[in-house]
PDB file of all heavy atoms in Angstrom:
ATOM      1  N   ILE A   1    -108.313-212.401  65.911  1.00 98.00           N
ATOM      2  CA  ILE A   1    -109.313-211.718  66.802  1.00 98.00           C
ATOM      3  C   ILE A   1    -110.369-211.034  66.005  1.00 98.00           C
ATOM      4  O   ILE A   1    -109.920-210.186  65.108  1.00 98.00           O
ATOM      5  CB  ILE A   1    -108.702-210.633  67.727  1.00 98.00           C
ATOM      6  CG1 ILE A   1    -107.502-211.263  68.568  1.00 98.00           C
ATOM      7  CG2 ILE A   1    -109.587-209.991  68.704  1.00 98.00           C
ATOM      8  CD1 ILE A   1    -106.808-210.336  69.432  1.00 98.00           C
ATOM      9  N   ASP A   2    -111.590-211.395  66.066  1.00 98.00           N
ATOM     10  CA  ASP A   2    -112.602-210.984  65.056  1.00 98.00           C
ATOM     11  C   ASP A   2    -114.009-211.009  65.695  1.00 98.00           C
ATOM     12  O   ASP A   2    -114.235-211.618  66.672  1.00 98.00           O
ATOM     13  CB  ASP A   2    -112.533-211.823  63.744  1.00 98.00           C
ATOM     14  CG  ASP A   2    -113.418-211.399  62.720  1.00 98.00           C
ATOM     15  OD1 ASP A   2    -113.487-210.216  62.563  1.00 98.00           O
ATOM     16  OD2 ASP A   2    -113.988-212.348  62.071  1.00 98.00           O
ATOM     17  N   HIS A   3    -114.977-210.320  64.975  1.00 96.00           N
ATOM     18  CA  HIS A   3    -116.255-210.410  65.359  1.00 96.00           C
ATOM     19  C   HIS A   3    -117.328-210.829  64.357  1.00 96.00           C
ATOM     20  O   HIS A   3    -118.527-210.562  64.451  1.00 96.00           O
ATOM     21  CB  HIS A   3    -116.717-209.056  65.995  1.00 96.00           C
ATOM     22  CG  HIS A   3    -116.979-207.972  65.065  1.00 96.00           C
ATOM     23  ND1 HIS A   3    -117.947-206.997  65.027  1.00 96.00           N
ATOM     24  CD2 HIS A   3    -116.120-207.462  63.989  1.00 96.00           C
ATOM     25  CE1 HIS A   3    -117.834-206.193  64.142  1.00 96.00           C
ATOM     26  NE2 HIS A   3    -116.676-206.505  63.439  1.00 96.00           N
ATOM     27  N   HIS A   4    -116.824-211.366  63.175  1.00 93.00           N
ATOM     28  CA  HIS A   4    -117.753-211.726  62.085  1.00 93.00           C
ATOM     29  C   HIS A   4    -118.366-213.108  62.213  1.00 93.00           C
ATOM     30  O   HIS A   4    -117.580-214.046  62.389  1.00 93.00           O
ATOM     31  CB  HIS A   4    -117.076-211.590  60.773  1.00 93.00           C
ATOM     32  CG  HIS A   4    -116.587-210.152  60.331  1.00 93.00           C
ATOM     33  ND1 HIS A   4    -115.327-209.669  60.710  1.00 93.00           N
ATOM     34  CD2 HIS A   4    -117.240-209.184  59.791  1.00 93.00           C
ATOM     35  CE1 HIS A   4    -115.285-208.412  60.238  1.00 93.00           C
ATOM     36  NE2 HIS A   4    -116.469-208.059  59.645  1.00 93.00           N
ATOM     37  N   GLY A   5    -119.604-213.141  62.022  1.00 88.00           N
ATOM     38  CA  GLY A   5    -120.179-214.426  62.270  1.00 88.00           C
ATOM     39  C   GLY A   5    -119.852-215.496  61.272  1.00 88.00           C
ATOM     40  O   GLY A   5    -119.956-216.690  61.425  1.00 88.00           O
ATOM     41  N   THR A   6    -119.357-215.109  60.103  1.00 90.00           N
ATOM     42  CA  THR A   6    -119.008-215.994  58.933  1.00 90.00           C
ATOM     43  C   THR A   6    -117.528-216.513  59.029  1.00 90.00           C
ATOM     44  O   THR A   6    -116.976-217.301  58.289  1.00 90.00           O
ATOM     45  CB  THR A   6    -119.003-215.260  57.598  1.00 90.00           C
ATOM     46  OG1 THR A   6    -118.428-214.087  57.613  1.00 90.00           O
ATOM     47  CG2 THR A   6    -120.529-215.042  57.343  1.00 90.00           C
ATOM     48  N   ASN A   7    -116.890-215.980  60.144  1.00 93.00           N
ATOM     49  CA  ASN A   7    -115.470-216.459  60.400  1.00 93.00           C
ATOM     50  C   ASN A   7    -115.369-217.874  60.535  1.00 93.00           C
ATOM     51  O   ASN A   7    -116.060-218.530  61.412  1.00 93.00           O
ATOM     52  CB  ASN A   7    -114.860-215.757  61.627  1.00 93.00           C
ATOM     53  CG  ASN A   7    -113.307-215.805  61.787  1.00 93.00           C
ATOM     54  OD1 ASN A   7    -112.714-216.905  61.782  1.00 93.00           O
ATOM     55  ND2 ASN A   7    -112.603-214.797  61.835  1.00 93.00           N
ATOM     56  N   PRO A   8    -114.387-218.639  59.789  1.00 94.00           N
ATOM     57  CA  PRO A   8    -114.305-220.185  59.827  1.00 94.00           C
ATOM     58  C   PRO A   8    -113.594-220.569  61.126  1.00 94.00           C
ATOM     59  O   PRO A   8    -113.690-221.766  61.264  1.00 94.00           O
ATOM     60  CB  PRO A   8    -113.625-220.401  58.554  1.00 94.00           C
ATOM     61  CG  PRO A   8    -112.730-219.219  58.214  1.00 94.00           C
ATOM     62  CD  PRO A   8    -113.643-218.057  58.690  1.00 94.00           C
ATOM     63  N   ARG A   9    -113.055-219.781  61.877  1.00 95.00           N
ATOM     64  CA  ARG A   9    -112.400-220.140  63.027  1.00 95.00           C
ATOM     65  C   ARG A   9    -111.284-221.331  62.727  1.00 95.00           C
ATOM     66  O   ARG A   9    -111.434-222.450  63.362  1.00 95.00           O
ATOM     67  CB  ARG A   9    -113.288-220.702  64.127  1.00 95.00           C
ATOM     68  CG  ARG A   9    -114.295-219.466  64.631  1.00 95.00           C
ATOM     69  CD  ARG A   9    -115.275-220.081  65.363  1.00 95.00           C
ATOM     70  NE  ARG A   9    -116.219-219.049  66.007  1.00 95.00           N
ATOM     71  CZ  ARG A   9    -117.121-218.395  65.425  1.00 95.00           C
ATOM     72  NH1 ARG A   9    -117.450-218.537  64.189  1.00 95.00           N
ATOM     73  NH2 ARG A   9    -117.790-217.531  66.195  1.00 95.00           N
ATOM     74  N   CYS A  10    -110.372-220.961  61.797  1.00 95.00           N
ATOM     75  CA  CYS A  10    -109.358-222.005  61.462  1.00 95.00           C
ATOM     76  C   CYS A  10    -107.871-221.605  61.513  1.00 95.00           C
ATOM     77  O   CYS A  10    -107.148-222.088  60.954  1.00 95.00           O
ATOM     78  CB  CYS A  10    -109.768-222.374  59.980  1.00 95.00           C
ATOM     79  SG  CYS A  10    -109.478-221.086  58.778  1.00 95.00           S
ATOM     80  N   THR A  11    -107.745-220.524  62.553  1.00 96.00           N
ATOM     81  CA  THR A  11    -106.443-220.028  62.620  1.00 96.00           C
ATOM     82  C   THR A  11    -105.591-221.117  63.453  1.00 96.00           C
ATOM     83  O   THR A  11    -106.054-221.694  64.365  1.00 96.00           O
ATOM     84  CB  THR A  11    -106.422-218.613  63.266  1.00 96.00           C
ATOM     85  OG1 THR A  11    -107.224-217.787  62.612  1.00 96.00           O
ATOM     86  CG2 THR A  11    -104.999-218.073  63.322  1.00 96.00           C
ATOM     87  N   LYS A  12    -104.274-221.146  63.036  1.00 95.00           N
ATOM     88  CA  LYS A  12    -103.512-222.227  63.612  1.00 95.00           C
ATOM     89  C   LYS A  12    -103.377-222.277  65.132  1.00 95.00           C
ATOM     90  O   LYS A  12    -103.586-223.381  65.732  1.00 95.00           O
ATOM     91  CB  LYS A  12    -102.034-222.029  63.006  1.00 95.00           C
ATOM     92  CG  LYS A  12    -101.046-223.117  63.461  1.00 95.00           C
ATOM     93  CD  LYS A  12     -99.607-222.703  63.072  1.00 95.00           C
ATOM     94  CE  LYS A  12     -99.420-222.540  61.530  1.00 95.00           C
ATOM     95  NZ  LYS A  12     -98.029-222.254  61.118  1.00 95.00           N
ATOM     96  N   ASP A  13    -103.277-221.151  65.773  1.00 96.00           N
ATOM     97  CA  ASP A  13    -103.142-221.221  67.239  1.00 96.00           C
ATOM     98  C   ASP A  13    -104.326-220.700  67.984  1.00 96.00           C
ATOM     99  O   ASP A  13    -104.291-220.519  69.238  1.00 96.00           O
ATOM    100  CB  ASP A  13    -101.856-220.504  67.707  1.00 96.00           C
ATOM    101  CG  ASP A  13    -100.566-221.094  67.122  1.00 96.00           C
ATOM    102  OD1 ASP A  13    -100.301-222.242  67.538  1.00 96.00           O
ATOM    103  OD2 ASP A  13     -99.934-220.462  66.245  1.00 96.00           O
ATOM    104  N   GLY A  14    -105.458-220.469  67.303  1.00 96.00           N
ATOM    105  CA  GLY A  14    -106.642-220.104  67.912  1.00 96.00           C
ATOM    106  C   GLY A  14    -107.286-218.960  67.349  1.00 96.00           C
ATOM    107  O   GLY A  14    -106.789-218.037  66.640  1.00 96.00           O
ATOM    108  N   ASP A  15    -108.639-218.817  67.617  1.00 97.00           N
ATOM    109  CA  ASP A  15    -109.513-217.792  67.184  1.00 97.00           C
ATOM    110  C   ASP A  15    -110.323-217.196  68.294  1.00 97.00           C
ATOM    111  O   ASP A  15    -110.889-218.010  69.012  1.00 97.00           O
ATOM    112  CB  ASP A  15    -110.435-218.235  66.066  1.00 97.00           C
ATOM    113  CG  ASP A  15    -109.706-218.793  64.887  1.00 97.00           C
ATOM    114  OD1 ASP A  15    -109.371-217.976  64.011  1.00 97.00           O
ATOM    115  OD2 ASP A  15    -109.484-219.972  64.862  1.00 97.00           O
ATOM    116  N   TRP A  16    -110.258-215.946  68.517  1.00 98.00           N
ATOM    117  CA  TRP A  16    -111.271-215.277  69.486  1.00 98.00           C
ATOM    118  C   TRP A  16    -112.232-214.545  68.622  1.00 98.00           C
ATOM    119  O   TRP A  16    -112.047-213.463  68.187  1.00 98.00           O
ATOM    120  CB  TRP A  16    -110.467-214.361  70.370  1.00 98.00           C
ATOM    121  CG  TRP A  16    -111.410-213.631  71.382  1.00 98.00           C
ATOM    122  CD1 TRP A  16    -112.668-213.978  71.675  1.00 98.00           C
ATOM    123  CD2 TRP A  16    -111.024-212.491  72.200  1.00 98.00           C
ATOM    124  NE1 TRP A  16    -113.144-213.153  72.654  1.00 98.00           N
ATOM    125  CE2 TRP A  16    -112.120-212.186  72.986  1.00 98.00           C
ATOM    126  CE3 TRP A  16    -109.913-211.751  72.305  1.00 98.00           C
ATOM    127  CZ2 TRP A  16    -112.062-211.082  73.933  1.00 98.00           C
ATOM    128  CZ3 TRP A  16    -109.857-210.639  73.203  1.00 98.00           C
ATOM    129  CH2 TRP A  16    -110.962-210.427  73.818  1.00 98.00           C
ATOM    130  N   VAL A  17    -113.364-215.226  68.303  1.00 97.00           N
ATOM    131  CA  VAL A  17    -114.449-214.708  67.523  1.00 97.00           C
ATOM    132  C   VAL A  17    -115.673-214.534  68.442  1.00 97.00           C
ATOM    133  O   VAL A  17    -116.201-215.671  68.939  1.00 97.00           O
ATOM    134  CB  VAL A  17    -114.810-215.510  66.326  1.00 97.00           C
ATOM    135  CG1 VAL A  17    -115.829-214.987  65.463  1.00 97.00           C
ATOM    136  CG2 VAL A  17    -113.452-215.698  65.534  1.00 97.00           C
ATOM    137  N   GLU A  18    -116.135-213.317  68.602  1.00 96.00           N
ATOM    138  CA  GLU A  18    -117.209-213.106  69.486  1.00 96.00           C
ATOM    139  C   GLU A  18    -118.182-212.091  68.965  1.00 96.00           C
ATOM    140  O   GLU A  18    -117.852-211.240  68.258  1.00 96.00           O
ATOM    141  CB  GLU A  18    -116.626-212.541  70.875  1.00 96.00           C
ATOM    142  CG  GLU A  18    -117.655-212.627  72.038  1.00 96.00           C
ATOM    143  CD  GLU A  18    -117.019-212.174  73.385  1.00 96.00           C
ATOM    144  OE1 GLU A  18    -115.862-212.564  73.574  1.00 96.00           O
ATOM    145  OE2 GLU A  18    -117.717-211.534  74.119  1.00 96.00           O
ATOM    146  N   HIS A  19    -119.390-212.375  69.193  1.00 92.00           N
ATOM    147  CA  HIS A  19    -120.482-211.477  68.668  1.00 92.00           C
ATOM    148  C   HIS A  19    -120.625-210.221  69.316  1.00 92.00           C
ATOM    149  O   HIS A  19    -121.329-210.187  70.316  1.00 92.00           O
ATOM    150  CB  HIS A  19    -121.836-212.248  68.614  1.00 92.00           C
ATOM    151  CG  HIS A  19    -122.953-211.397  68.011  1.00 92.00           C
ATOM    152  ND1 HIS A  19    -122.945-211.058  66.590  1.00 92.00           N
ATOM    153  CD2 HIS A  19    -124.152-210.862  68.524  1.00 92.00           C
ATOM    154  CE1 HIS A  19    -124.033-210.339  66.404  1.00 92.00           C
ATOM    155  NE2 HIS A  19    -124.787-210.159  67.589  1.00 92.00           N
ATOM    156  N   VAL A  20    -119.946-209.210  68.945  1.00 96.00           N
ATOM    157  CA  VAL A  20    -119.874-207.962  69.576  1.00 96.00           C
ATOM    158  C   VAL A  20    -120.055-206.812  68.512  1.00 96.00           C
ATOM    159  O   VAL A  20    -119.926-207.189  67.326  1.00 96.00           O
ATOM    160  CB  VAL A  20    -118.632-207.657  70.438  1.00 96.00           C
ATOM    161  CG1 VAL A  20    -118.592-208.559  71.603  1.00 96.00           C
ATOM    162  CG2 VAL A  20    -117.368-207.832  69.489  1.00 96.00           C
ATOM    163  N   GLY A  21    -120.268-205.584  68.886  1.00 96.00           N
ATOM    164  CA  GLY A  21    -120.435-204.582  67.884  1.00 96.00           C
ATOM    165  C   GLY A  21    -119.210-204.281  67.087  1.00 96.00           C
ATOM    166  O   GLY A  21    -119.451-203.986  65.862  1.00 96.00           O
ATOM    167  N   ALA A  22    -117.996-204.517  67.529  1.00 97.00           N
ATOM    168  CA  ALA A  22    -116.947-204.180  66.785  1.00 97.00           C
ATOM    169  C   ALA A  22    -115.718-204.916  67.345  1.00 97.00           C
ATOM    170  O   ALA A  22    -115.609-205.201  68.613  1.00 97.00           O
ATOM    171  CB  ALA A  22    -116.518-202.693  66.788  1.00 97.00           C
ATOM    172  N   THR A  23    -114.725-205.288  66.554  1.00 98.00           N
ATOM    173  CA  THR A  23    -113.454-205.914  67.055  1.00 98.00           C
ATOM    174  C   THR A  23    -112.846-205.053  68.116  1.00 98.00           C
ATOM    175  O   THR A  23    -112.100-205.525  69.001  1.00 98.00           O
ATOM    176  CB  THR A  23    -112.591-206.262  65.922  1.00 98.00           C
ATOM    177  OG1 THR A  23    -113.272-207.204  64.990  1.00 98.00           O
ATOM    178  CG2 THR A  23    -111.267-206.896  66.329  1.00 98.00           C
ATOM    179  N   GLY A  24    -112.895-203.708  68.021  1.00 98.00           N
ATOM    180  CA  GLY A  24    -112.371-202.844  68.891  1.00 98.00           C
ATOM    181  C   GLY A  24    -112.714-203.083  70.306  1.00 98.00           C
ATOM    182  O   GLY A  24    -111.974-202.918  71.279  1.00 98.00           O
ATOM    183  N   GLU A  25    -113.938-203.537  70.613  1.00 98.00           N
ATOM    184  CA  GLU A  25    -114.486-203.928  71.859  1.00 98.00           C
ATOM    185  C   GLU A  25    -113.607-205.067  72.431  1.00 98.00           C
ATOM    186  O   GLU A  25    -113.278-205.165  73.625  1.00 98.00           O
ATOM    187  CB  GLU A  25    -115.949-204.291  71.946  1.00 98.00           C
ATOM    188  CG  GLU A  25    -116.880-203.244  71.467  1.00 98.00           C
ATOM    189  CD  GLU A  25    -118.321-203.769  71.474  1.00 98.00           C
ATOM    190  OE1 GLU A  25    -118.705-204.502  72.380  1.00 98.00           O
ATOM    191  OE2 GLU A  25    -118.989-203.335  70.641  1.00 98.00           O
ATOM    192  N   LEU A  26    -113.230-205.993  71.687  1.00 98.00           N
ATOM    193  CA  LEU A  26    -112.386-207.151  72.057  1.00 98.00           C
ATOM    194  C   LEU A  26    -111.012-206.659  72.367  1.00 98.00           C
ATOM    195  O   LEU A  26    -110.386-207.200  73.327  1.00 98.00           O
ATOM    196  CB  LEU A  26    -112.315-208.289  71.044  1.00 98.00           C
ATOM    197  CG  LEU A  26    -113.705-208.802  70.530  1.00 98.00           C
ATOM    198  CD1 LEU A  26    -113.548-209.927  69.531  1.00 98.00           C
ATOM    199  CD2 LEU A  26    -114.641-209.453  71.724  1.00 98.00           C
ATOM    200  N   ILE A  27    -110.439-205.752  71.642  1.00 98.00           N
ATOM    201  CA  ILE A  27    -109.164-205.309  71.818  1.00 98.00           C
ATOM    202  C   ILE A  27    -109.093-204.551  73.142  1.00 98.00           C
ATOM    203  O   ILE A  27    -108.136-204.617  73.925  1.00 98.00           O
ATOM    204  CB  ILE A  27    -108.589-204.416  70.517  1.00 98.00           C
ATOM    205  CG1 ILE A  27    -108.566-205.140  69.336  1.00 98.00           C
ATOM    206  CG2 ILE A  27    -107.334-203.786  70.906  1.00 98.00           C
ATOM    207  CD1 ILE A  27    -107.625-206.410  69.354  1.00 98.00           C
ATOM    208  N   LEU A  28    -110.101-203.666  73.338  1.00 98.00           N
ATOM    209  CA  LEU A  28    -110.139-203.050  74.692  1.00 98.00           C
ATOM    210  C   LEU A  28    -110.069-203.929  75.847  1.00 98.00           C
ATOM    211  O   LEU A  28    -109.321-203.813  76.855  1.00 98.00           O
ATOM    212  CB  LEU A  28    -111.425-202.115  74.771  1.00 98.00           C
ATOM    213  CG  LEU A  28    -111.630-201.410  76.040  1.00 98.00           C
ATOM    214  CD1 LEU A  28    -110.405-200.504  76.489  1.00 98.00           C
ATOM    215  CD2 LEU A  28    -112.862-200.706  76.159  1.00 98.00           C
ATOM    216  N   ARG A  29    -110.823-205.018  75.731  1.00 98.00           N
ATOM    217  CA  ARG A  29    -110.972-206.048  76.876  1.00 98.00           C
ATOM    218  C   ARG A  29    -109.515-206.782  76.917  1.00 98.00           C
ATOM    219  O   ARG A  29    -109.094-207.089  77.966  1.00 98.00           O
ATOM    220  CB  ARG A  29    -112.058-207.155  76.454  1.00 98.00           C
ATOM    221  CG  ARG A  29    -112.676-207.681  77.656  1.00 98.00           C
ATOM    222  CD  ARG A  29    -113.591-208.784  77.309  1.00 98.00           C
ATOM    223  NE  ARG A  29    -114.642-208.315  76.364  1.00 98.00           N
ATOM    224  CZ  ARG A  29    -115.464-209.028  75.643  1.00 98.00           C
ATOM    225  NH1 ARG A  29    -115.421-210.325  75.795  1.00 98.00           N
ATOM    226  NH2 ARG A  29    -116.404-208.487  74.902  1.00 98.00           N
ATOM    227  N   LEU A  30    -108.863-207.020  75.795  1.00 98.00           N
ATOM    228  CA  LEU A  30    -107.681-207.677  75.818  1.00 98.00           C
ATOM    229  C   LEU A  30    -106.541-206.686  76.453  1.00 98.00           C
ATOM    230  O   LEU A  30    -105.700-207.295  77.229  1.00 98.00           O
ATOM    231  CB  LEU A  30    -107.180-208.052  74.365  1.00 98.00           C
ATOM    232  CG  LEU A  30    -105.684-208.548  74.163  1.00 98.00           C
ATOM    233  CD1 LEU A  30    -105.686-209.898  74.841  1.00 98.00           C
ATOM    234  CD2 LEU A  30    -105.467-208.708  72.625  1.00 98.00           C
ATOM    235  N   LEU A  31    -106.593-205.531  76.141  1.00 97.00           N
ATOM    236  CA  LEU A  31    -105.611-204.575  76.806  1.00 97.00           C
ATOM    237  C   LEU A  31    -105.795-204.534  78.217  1.00 97.00           C
ATOM    238  O   LEU A  31    -104.858-204.402  78.965  1.00 97.00           O
ATOM    239  CB  LEU A  31    -105.769-203.152  76.204  1.00 97.00           C
ATOM    240  CG  LEU A  31    -105.499-202.983  74.635  1.00 97.00           C
ATOM    241  CD1 LEU A  31    -105.215-201.609  74.221  1.00 97.00           C
ATOM    242  CD2 LEU A  31    -104.239-203.755  74.245  1.00 97.00           C
ATOM    243  N   GLU A  32    -106.963-204.534  78.684  1.00 97.00           N
ATOM    244  CA  GLU A  32    -107.274-204.506  80.070  1.00 97.00           C
ATOM    245  C   GLU A  32    -106.821-205.766  80.737  1.00 97.00           C
ATOM    246  O   GLU A  32    -106.281-205.842  81.898  1.00 97.00           O
ATOM    247  CB  GLU A  32    -108.752-204.381  80.454  1.00 97.00           C
ATOM    248  CG  GLU A  32    -109.280-202.977  79.984  1.00 97.00           C
ATOM    249  CD  GLU A  32    -110.792-202.947  80.201  1.00 97.00           C
ATOM    250  OE1 GLU A  32    -111.498-203.935  80.012  1.00 97.00           O
ATOM    251  OE2 GLU A  32    -111.302-201.746  80.328  1.00 97.00           O
ATOM    252  N   GLN A  33    -106.901-206.949  80.071  1.00 96.00           N
ATOM    253  CA  GLN A  33    -106.435-208.157  80.499  1.00 96.00           C
ATOM    254  C   GLN A  33    -104.933-208.326  80.819  1.00 96.00           C
ATOM    255  O   GLN A  33    -104.442-208.851  81.649  1.00 96.00           O
ATOM    256  CB  GLN A  33    -106.970-209.364  79.578  1.00 96.00           C
ATOM    257  CG  GLN A  33    -106.390-210.760  79.861  1.00 96.00           C
ATOM    258  CD  GLN A  33    -107.301-211.532  80.889  1.00 96.00           C
ATOM    259  OE1 GLN A  33    -108.462-211.059  81.133  1.00 96.00           O
ATOM    260  NE2 GLN A  33    -106.790-212.639  81.219  1.00 96.00           N
ATOM    261  N   ILE A  34    -104.129-207.694  79.717  1.00 95.00           N
ATOM    262  CA  ILE A  34    -102.830-207.831  79.826  1.00 95.00           C
ATOM    263  C   ILE A  34    -102.156-206.670  80.619  1.00 95.00           C
ATOM    264  O   ILE A  34    -100.889-206.576  80.750  1.00 95.00           O
ATOM    265  CB  ILE A  34    -102.172-207.882  78.474  1.00 95.00           C
ATOM    266  CG1 ILE A  34    -102.415-206.628  77.540  1.00 95.00           C
ATOM    267  CG2 ILE A  34    -102.624-209.212  77.743  1.00 95.00           C
ATOM    268  CD1 ILE A  34    -101.866-206.654  76.139  1.00 95.00           C
ATOM    269  N   GLY A  35    -102.979-205.754  81.101  1.00 94.00           N
ATOM    270  CA  GLY A  35    -102.469-204.646  81.868  1.00 94.00           C
ATOM    271  C   GLY A  35    -101.794-203.592  81.102  1.00 94.00           C
ATOM    272  O   GLY A  35    -100.815-202.829  81.539  1.00 94.00           O
ATOM    273  N   ALA A  36    -102.071-203.391  79.803  1.00 95.00           N
ATOM    274  CA  ALA A  36    -101.492-202.352  78.907  1.00 95.00           C
ATOM    275  C   ALA A  36    -102.155-201.122  79.221  1.00 95.00           C
ATOM    276  O   ALA A  36    -103.376-201.000  79.485  1.00 95.00           O
ATOM    277  CB  ALA A  36    -101.690-202.715  77.412  1.00 95.00           C
ATOM    278  N   PRO A  37    -101.398-200.054  78.992  1.00 93.00           N
ATOM    279  CA  PRO A  37    -101.965-198.666  79.445  1.00 93.00           C
ATOM    280  C   PRO A  37    -102.885-198.187  78.308  1.00 93.00           C
ATOM    281  O   PRO A  37    -102.752-198.404  76.987  1.00 93.00           O
ATOM    282  CB  PRO A  37    -100.682-197.681  79.366  1.00 93.00           C
ATOM    283  CG  PRO A  37     -99.644-198.457  78.496  1.00 93.00           C
ATOM    284  CD  PRO A  37     -99.975-199.956  78.730  1.00 93.00           C
ATOM    285  N   ILE A  38    -104.009-197.738  78.639  1.00 96.00           N
ATOM    286  CA  ILE A  38    -104.956-197.123  77.620  1.00 96.00           C
ATOM    287  C   ILE A  38    -104.753-195.577  77.612  1.00 96.00           C
ATOM    288  O   ILE A  38    -105.324-194.799  78.250  1.00 96.00           O
ATOM    289  CB  ILE A  38    -106.482-197.390  78.087  1.00 96.00           C
ATOM    290  CG1 ILE A  38    -106.720-198.843  78.372  1.00 96.00           C
ATOM    291  CG2 ILE A  38    -107.466-196.978  76.965  1.00 96.00           C
ATOM    292  CD1 ILE A  38    -106.498-199.704  77.452  1.00 96.00           C
TER     293      ILE A  38
END
């Protein structure tokens, strides 16, 4: 899970690479998706 444009996206089981301000934004979205408490 990353937000760097230079990421080669070669992880064995997948890469979530998105152009956002910080990886923390993706983690927040993920926690909401899995129903984890914030």
Side-chain angles (χ1 to χ4, degrees):
I1 303 174
D2 184 38
H3 72 134
H4 294 93
T6 56
N7 192 300
R9 296 168 171 81
C10 60
T11 309
K12 185 186 298 185
D13 297 294
D15 299 271
W16 180 14
V17 181
E18 192 173 324
H19 182 65
V20 293
T23 299
E25 294 179 42
L26 303 181
I27 298 299
L28 175 58
R29 209 183 306 169
L30 175 60
L31 299 193
E32 292 173 334
Q33 174 89 8
I34 63 178
I38 309 297

